[in-house]
Amino acid sequence: VLCNPQKEDPVVGFHANGRHQVYPNPCEACSDGRTIFHEKLISCPKSLSQKFWDDSKSKVCALTKSGTLKQYCNRAVACSHLNVEKYFPGQCPKIVPKTHSCEGYPRADIICSDEYTPVCAKYKNGKTETIMNDCAACINVDITTYTDGECLF
């Protein structure tokens, strides 16, 4: 399938590391190897008619202007907020990144590549930090686990 970058049909794509990203169309989302699934975004109307309120019965997940996702009881309530311009029907996905253990990792005489495939490393004291790659994380004896992708906070 060829992507048409001219076609505007926005979607929000969800990545395995728990992050999301808005794409101009489904094809662009699917071409990004990080996207595990996507949802079509629906624009809020300029004005909320009575019919829009009457037909609003199901939960929606709204995309705020700051890029965060927020759950609302229905589309009318979501679109009545000034910081919401788009939404999709249903629950906001909660993706929990898979945790990898550094236990048993050979830590002596290892030279890691400088390839940047970031991981979120967790230290023994509970602190987290974005590290260049899994090797660079696991050769540090103070790091116990990591998840793929940059740390979210």
Side-chain angles (χ1 to χ4, degrees), residues 89-142:
Q91 291 284 127
C92 291
K94 291 188 177 34
I95 300 168
V96 179
K98 181 180 178 196
T99 300
H100 305 276
S101 175
C102 290
E103 185 179 328
Y105 198 89
R107 297 174 192 250
D109 301 323
I110 298 292
I111 298 174
C112 297
S113 78
D114 59 358
E115 179 183 351
Y116 188 71
T117 50
V119 298
C120 182
K122 185 174 182 181
Y123 290 86
K124 290 176 184 173
N125 65 7
K127 179 184 162 216
T128 59
E129 179 183 6
T130 298
I131 305 285
M132 181 177 280
N133 56 46
D134 59 345
C135 177
C138 285
I139 62 169
N140 183 329
V141 295
D142 293 324

Side-chain angles (χ1 to χ4, degrees), residues 32-70:
D32 183 340
R34 301 171 300 166
T35 304
I36 55 175
F37 70 95
H38 64 273
E39 296 284 351
K40 179 179 173 35
L41 289 169
I42 302 165
S43 294
C44 290
K46 299 278 185 240
S47 62
L48 304 180
S49 67
Q50 186 61 45
K51 180 170 175 24
F52 188 80
W53 278 94
D54 292 345
D55 291 344
S56 295
K57 303 200 182 341
S58 301
K59 290 181 181 181
V60 298
C61 182
L63 181 68
T64 66
K65 289 181 182 177
S66 66
T68 59
L69 296 174
K70 186 170 181 186

Side-chain angles (χ1 to χ4, degrees), residues 3 7-8 12 17 23-24 26 30 44 46 53 82 87 92 97 113 116 123-124 126-127 143:
C3 290
K7 181 165 171 48
E8 279 293 317
V12 59
N17 66 0
Y23 295 91
C30 291
C44 290
K46 299 278 185 240
W53 278 94
L82 295 176
Y87 66 92
C92 291
S113 78
Y116 188 71
Y123 290 86
K124 290 176 184 173
K127 179 184 162 216
I143 293 176

